Amino acid sequence: MSKIIKLSPHIANLIAAGEVVERPASVVKELLENAVDAGASQVTVEIRDGGMTFLRVTDNGCGMSPEDARTAFLRHATSKLKTAEDLACITTMGFRGEALAAVASVSRIDLLTRTPSADFGTSLSLEAGNITEESEAGCPVGTTIIVRDLFFNTPARMKFMKSDTVEGGKVASAVQMQALAHPEVAFRFLRDGKEVLSTPGIGSLEAAVYCVYGRDSGKMAEVSSKWEKFTLTGFVSKPTDARPSRALQTFFVNGRPVKSRLLIAALEEAYRNQIMVGKFPACVLHLTTPASAVDVNVHPAKTEVKFLNEKAVFDCVHYGVLGALNKTPDRPQVQFKPTPAPAAAPAAQKPASAAPKQENFFRTMNAQEYKAFASAMKDAPKPSALAAAATARAVDARASLPLQESVHIPTPVQKPSAPAPIQEKAAPAPVPQQEPEQIAIATMPTDIPWRYVGELYSSYILVEQGDEAYLIDKHAAHERILFEKLKANQEAISSQTLLTPIPHRMAADSVALLLDNQSVLEELGFEIQEFGENTLLIRQIPMDLDGEHATDALETLAEDLRNGRKGQKDSIRDELLHTVACKAAIKAGWQSSEQELLKLAEQVLSREDLKHCPHGRPICITLSKKELEKQFKRS
Ligand code: ADP
Ligand code: MG
């Protein structure tokens, strides 16, 4: 066997670099963490060519003395652990005094730094970790680090780099992540000379979220809840603003960004039956736990996390988000396209609402745009303001209500053809089982009088309430009401026995699937029986269906079972309930009596849980008086 040799510090640094410095984005992450640790209130990141050739981070933090500047690049040099007790911080913060040494070993670095008490700053240059130049320099308080030619001396690593666009995109995510973790710091990010992100650094997470996620995520719902020893704060998108991917889901545990299937599952559980298939909520959630409740992988470059009590964490996030969603009205505004500016108008008169032109990988708002956006949001009526106004006006306003007769809710009429009578009494709001006390489900004020105006296109109910008009999709509303009614009934769904059982021929595998799942079908109100070749005999169907729709529903159920997440009985049951509700609900284009429509409108306006059809389409959209006045140029 060969003789054991001790690795040179340079080789040791290269090995460490392999772990810490994977790509430009990981360099940026480390430098940003250092800037924040140095107490900076303003941090600017600039990159060229995806960060491979040039990457600069400038902060106005505490800076370094000349000696510290030199030592900072030594391996295991850190100012953040002074005593043995501080070692505990390693588990939470990942200080290992390794990052600068690792970055320096695989790049060329220029450092400029000054502490507030020093008259002069220090300028240092390093190549592959060795100091090549050192001098005094005039510079502002704080630190600027330029990293050039990353991996110039490790061609093997260079080969793993993706295109500049991809690497630049990852750097952008790293900056976004820090901006969301530290709303108190103003971050700017410039990519090839163009500013693509800037946050105001005013300490408001909401402000940071809007700057990072842009206006596409809409007005988000604020989450703030406590659960046992856990605290959850942050913002989540409303179901109607769901995104095509999970890209805008950001989780922090005790301030560290983490990736966790558990947290994603808990978040998405809160959106069950409210969001379309293939759509995902956006979020920025900060979970705070006692240090002993998590096992953070101490590796600074990794973001996995293990919770000791997974159920409590799941519940904390699930119910915290659910509570936030239930408190937030979700009646999207009718969208008008911005009026095009008259041809002769000077460019400066472009509508303020036009989206900024960006050829970027993500859409963001800069701090100024955010301010405009935030003040526009402020004008929007808040539920609490509405509630206060409502209490004040409720009683006498009712008396002076014009067309009061139409507000009176008559008994629903039974229509001879299919549609099921709409439930007399509002079904109870879907209350999650074992719902924790912490969550107050707020309801929208129901005492602002409203007026049924009419129906549009045999599909949309038009209602006026105060300074808002609502358009209610009658099918979506009825479907949701039926769905909630079916769901609230945890036992079997009441069924009707057919006088003449219906034979129904279908694909052989559908017959087999349905027969295999008879107990599920029974819970849903179906009784079926084998009836010769590829045929089922339908003996009982749910109360709310007629024969023709029952066979349709069975076909869909077979399809659901075929695609269904077999293990999750609740999900299958929900899927089946969607199908039953959808088939039984009145359809767009059908003739409906005014009484039926009134009854639907009444339920939609009085129950905040009726926001989306079970597939996630909105039930009700808002057309405000203000918006109309704007369209007619009255305001
Ligand atoms: P760690 O952050 O784990 O301490 P680093 O290698 O990232 O290790 O940094 C080493 C030391 O350099 C830090 O402990 C800090 O004292 C100093 N340092 C690094 N970046 C900055 C900065 N931007 N401003 C002030 N001091 C810094
Ligand atoms: Mg560090």
Side-chain angles (χ1 to χ4, degrees), residues 223-427:
V223 179
S224 173
S225 73
K226 266 187 179 310
W227 180 275
E228 293 173 8
K229 293 179 205 128
F230 306 103
T231 311
L232 185 74
T233 55
F235 290 87
V236 293
S237 61
K238 290 189 279 188
T240 41
D241 294 318
R243 316 278 314 168
S245 78
R246 293 196 173 96
L248 299 191
Q249 293 184 353
T250 309
F251 297 95
F252 296 94
V253 173
N254 299 332
R256 279 173 64 110
V258 298
K259 296 231 173 344
S260 155
R261 280 164 185 275
L262 180 85
L263 295 179
I264 294 174
L267 167 79
E268 294 182 357
E269 183 63 17
Y271 287 80
R272 187 138 72 94
N273 300 322
Q274 301 200 61
I275 214 165
M276 290 196 220
V277 179
K279 293 274 189 172
F280 304 92
C283 76
V284 176
L285 288 172
H286 282 265
L287 179 70
T288 314
T289 75
S292 60
V294 276
D295 182 4
V296 182
N297 189 322
V298 295
H299 196 295
K302 287 199 181 148
T303 51
E304 278 101 49
V305 65
K306 174 117 186 62
F307 298 103
L308 303 186
N309 184 348
E310 297 199 332
K311 168 130 186 11
V313 170
F314 187 96
D315 287 350
C316 173
V317 173
H318 173 205
Y319 290 124
V321 173
L322 200 63
L325 293 178
N326 281 335
K327 271 189 262 178
T328 311
D330 193 10
R331 292 178 179 148
Q333 278 279 345
V334 170
Q335 298 284 321
F336 290 104
K337 286 205 188 103
T339 334
Q349 280 184 13
K350 265 209 235 142
S353 59
K357 218 177 151 213
Q358 287 184 52
E359 33 93 55
N360 292 321
F361 40 94
F362 64 93
R363 286 190 69 236
T364 63
M365 270 189 250
N366 62 33
Q368 236 161 9
E369 278 185 287
Y370 167 72
K371 276 189 202 135
F373 179 76
S375 73
M377 284 300 185
K378 239 189 259 145
D379 292 343
K382 292 221 171 74
S384 51
L386 273 178
T391 337
R393 283 191 294 160
V395 186
D396 53 45
R398 253 180 211 287
S400 61
L401 179 71
L403 291 181
Q404 205 180 351
E405 318 78 73
S406 68
V407 179
H408 170 74
I409 309 299
T411 335
V413 283
Q414 193 99 21
K415 287 192 72 182
S417 72
I422 295 151
Q423 226 196 337
E424 181 67 58
K425 260 204 305 188

Side-chain angles (χ1 to χ4, degrees), residues 30 34 80 99:
E30 295 294 342
N34 283 349
K80 297 166 196 172

Side-chain angles (χ1 to χ4, degrees), residues 26 139 188 224 298 316 438 456 494:
S26 32
C139 63
R188 278 183 79 210
S224 173
V298 295
C316 173
Q438 287 98 323
L456 286 172
S494 50

Side-chain angles (χ1 to χ4, degrees), residues 68-303:
D68 281 354
R70 276 187 302 264
T71 353
F73 290 97
L74 298 177
R75 191 143 183 239
H76 303 309
T78 176
S79 59
K80 297 166 196 172
L81 304 172
K82 296 210 169 67
T83 63
E85 290 87 75
D86 285 353
L87 275 175
C89 295
I90 291 186
T91 44
T92 53
M93 303 307 293
F95 298 138
R96 307 208 311 184
E98 211 163 48
L100 283 187
V103 174
S105 70
V106 290
S107 66
R108 301 185 169 100
I109 284 190
D110 292 317
L111 170 85
L112 207 55
T113 184
R114 178 160 82 87
T115 59
S117 58
D119 293 333
F120 284 98
T122 306
S123 160
L124 266 192
S125 296
L126 297 98
E127 190 161 321
N130 301 310
I131 296 176
T132 54
E133 262 182 64
E134 184 183 350
S135 61
E136 275 189 348
C139 63
V141 171
T143 303
T144 298
I145 295 189
I146 300 177
V147 178
R148 289 182 221 271
D149 306 328
L150 190 61
F151 304 131
F152 79 97
N153 55 348
T154 50
R157 171 62 64 168
M158 185 90 93
K159 276 201 208 117
F160 285 104
M161 292 307 110
K162 304 248 166 54
S163 70
D164 290 355
T165 319
V166 173
E167 295 301 335
K170 290 183 188 289
V171 172
S173 307
V175 181
Q176 292 179 330
M177 199 62 97
Q178 291 299 322
L180 294 173
H182 300 284
E184 74 285 4
V185 179
F187 286 93
R188 278 183 79 210
F189 176 41
L190 290 101
R191 189 172 173 178
D192 296 315
K194 281 202 200 75
E195 180 182 289
V196 289
L197 174 69
S198 97
T199 63
I202 51 174
S204 142
L205 177 61
E206 187 175 29
V209 172
Y210 283 115
C211 291
V212 171
Y213 284 0
R215 55 187 97 204
D216 287 357
S217 57
K219 172 88 181 141
M220 295 171 95
E222 183 165 6
V223 179
S224 173
S225 73
K226 266 187 179 310
W227 180 275
E228 293 173 8
K229 293 179 205 128
F230 306 103
T231 311
L232 185 74
T233 55
F235 290 87
V236 293
S237 61
K238 290 189 279 188
T240 41
D241 294 318
R243 316 278 314 168
S245 78
R246 293 196 173 96
L248 299 191
Q249 293 184 353
T250 309
F251 297 95
F252 296 94
V253 173
N254 299 332
R256 279 173 64 110
V258 298
K259 296 231 173 344
S260 155
R261 280 164 185 275
L262 180 85
L263 295 179
I264 294 174
L267 167 79
E268 294 182 357
E269 183 63 17
Y271 287 80
R272 187 138 72 94
N273 300 322
Q274 301 200 61
I275 214 165
M276 290 196 220
V277 179
K279 293 274 189 172
F280 304 92
C283 76
V284 176
L285 288 172
H286 282 265
L287 179 70
T288 314
T289 75
S292 60
V294 276
D295 182 4
V296 182
N297 189 322
V298 295
H299 196 295
K302 287 199 181 148
T303 51

